[in-house]
């Protein structure tokens, strides 16, 4: 870790795309950054990033990972929840062909948002962050904005729906504490699913947009944006 900063971010579900770009941006601008994923090789605090193992579908694992990060880097003031999974039913058009175990497992990744947000708020309230920005951002998609999710993507929709329910409420609850909650979603220029290839090109855009959300005044928890980083305004 090359900085003595007390600004600390924890990215849960940090891979080579959004996680890597957001981490680079935060690191460049003075943050110590912890990268969490299931297969992370735990690292020394001396390295550029602090890697920590976390399975966001397991409550105890999230709690333990926050403990590890806080001990190594100090309390966090930014959390990005980027983990997601898709559990396609054996008969893709019949959602109930999915096993109950697989459904519960998938939903657990949505429930993980609650545990992560709870840990985040505890960290944010540390006095060291009194004058720092405090933000919890979940990477979104448009699935939770309609009741219908195509059967193959239903489990992903469940995760995102759980995330939106919590974030909408938490954004309101913690406004007075200057704590921001966002469900941040890349959309096409028409407001739908990104066009083919757009998501793959969007890592840097996510990094710029998340940086702005962390630092600007609180706005609507449901933040949709296009590949050029501009907000997509919707009713
Ligand atoms: N706007 C849109 O339409 C749209 C389109 C596509 C994706 N997305 C969203 O973008 C996010 C993923 O983006 P990305 O491209 O950055 O993915 P990515 O590069 O594949 O990184 C995601 C990382 O999450 C980790 N992960 C998966 N399950 C996990 C778990 N249970 N606990 C902890 N870590 C876990 C994986 O590492 P391990 O395997 O080591 O755990 C993986 O490296 C998701 O939230 C997804 O829903 C949005």
């Amino acid at each position: 870790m090359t900085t003595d900063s007390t600004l600390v971010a924890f990215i849960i579900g940090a891979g080579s795309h959004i996680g890597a770009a957001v981490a680079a941006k935060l690191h460049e601008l003075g943050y110590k950054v912890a990268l969490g994923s299931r297969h992370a090789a735990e690292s020394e605090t001396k390295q550029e990033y602090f890697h920590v193992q976390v399975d966001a579908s397991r409550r105890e694992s999230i709690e333990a990972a926050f403990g590890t990060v806080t001990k190594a880097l100090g309390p966090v003031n930014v959390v990005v929840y980027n983990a997601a999974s898709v559990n396609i039913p054996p008969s893709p058009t019949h959602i109930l062909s999915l096993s109950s175990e697989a459904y519960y497992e998938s939903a657990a990744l949505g429930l993980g948002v609650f545990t992560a947000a709870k840990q985040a708020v505890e960290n944010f309230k540390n006095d060291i962050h009194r004058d720092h920005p405090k933000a919890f951002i979940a990477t979104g998609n448009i699935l939770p904005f309609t009741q219908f999710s195509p059967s193959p993507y239903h489990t992903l929709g469940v995760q995102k729906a759980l995330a939106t329910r919590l974030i909408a409420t938490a954004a309101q609850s913690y406004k007075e504490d200057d704590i921001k909650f966002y469900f941040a979603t890349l959309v096409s220029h028409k407001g739908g699913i990104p066009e083919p290839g757009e998501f793959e090109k969007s890592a840097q855009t996510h990094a710029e947009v998340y940086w702005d959300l962390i630092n600007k005044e609180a706005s609507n928890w449901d933040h949709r944006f296009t590949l050029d980083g501009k907000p997509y305004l919707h009713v």
Side-chain angles (χ1 to χ4, degrees):
M1 214 52 54
T2 51
T3 170
D4 292 333
S5 173
T6 51
L7 296 167
V8 181
F10 183 17
I11 304 173
I12 300 170
S16 57
H17 188 227
I18 297 172
V22 173
K25 176 87 185 170
L26 289 167
H27 177 67
E28 180 196 325
L29 293 162
Y31 273 72
K32 292 190 278 194
V33 182
L35 303 177
S37 65
R38 291 166 302 178
H39 304 102
E42 302 228 350
S43 64
E44 301 286 324
T45 47
K46 284 190 219 87
Q47 293 175 340
E48 197 172 27
Y49 300 116
F50 183 74
H51 297 266
V52 62
Q53 264 182 18
V54 61
D55 181 349
S57 66
R58 291 181 46 233
R59 178 169 58 83
E60 304 78 5
S61 175
I62 297 171
E63 289 166 353
F66 268 90
T68 304
V69 169
T70 304
K71 193 164 166 219
L73 308 183
V76 305
N77 63 301
V78 168
V79 172
V80 173
Y81 194 97
N82 193 57
S85 70
V86 185
N87 225 326
I88 299 175
S91 167
T93 51
H94 291 82
I95 182 58
L96 296 177
S97 68
L98 191 67
S99 70
S100 295
E101 288 76 12
Y103 186 82
Y104 274 63
E105 218 174 84
S106 285
L109 212 43
L111 294 173
V113 179
F114 179 86
T115 306
K118 222 169 140 54
Q119 294 287 321
V121 165
E122 219 172 89
N123 276 252
F124 295 172
K125 287 193 167 173
N126 189 294
D127 208 41
I128 208 169
H129 292 314
R130 194 178 346 158
D131 300 322
H132 292 157
K134 294 171 271 291
F136 183 98
I137 303 174
T139 304
N141 64 26
I142 62 158
L143 286 172
F145 300 117
T146 50
Q147 287 294 335
F148 172 75
S149 299
S151 178
Y153 301 106
H154 183 91
T155 50
L156 179 60
V158 168
Q159 290 161 26
K160 300 300 185 189
L162 282 165
T164 53
R165 296 301 292 189
L166 178 73
I167 285 171
T169 301
Q172 185 68 26
S173 306
Y174 292 94
K175 216 190 233 168
E176 299 297 310
D177 300 291
D178 214 13
I179 295 174
K180 294 173 273 202
F181 282 86
Y182 289 108
F183 185 80
T185 305
L186 177 78
V187 295
S188 73
H189 68 284
K190 289 182 182 157
I193 297 171
E195 301 293 340
E198 280 192 327
F199 180 76
E200 291 69 19
K201 288 188 224 145
S202 69
Q204 199 49 40
T205 304
H206 275 85
E208 303 295 335
V209 168
Y210 286 15
W211 177 254
D212 284 349
L213 292 178
I214 291 163
N215 292 294
K216 71 173 192 176
E217 236 173 79
S219 56
N220 187 7
W221 64 268
D222 169 11
H223 183 80
R224 304 184 204 181
F225 59 97
T226 45
L227 190 57
D228 56 9
K230 293 196 177 127
Y232 177 82
L233 299 174
H234 53 94
V235 282

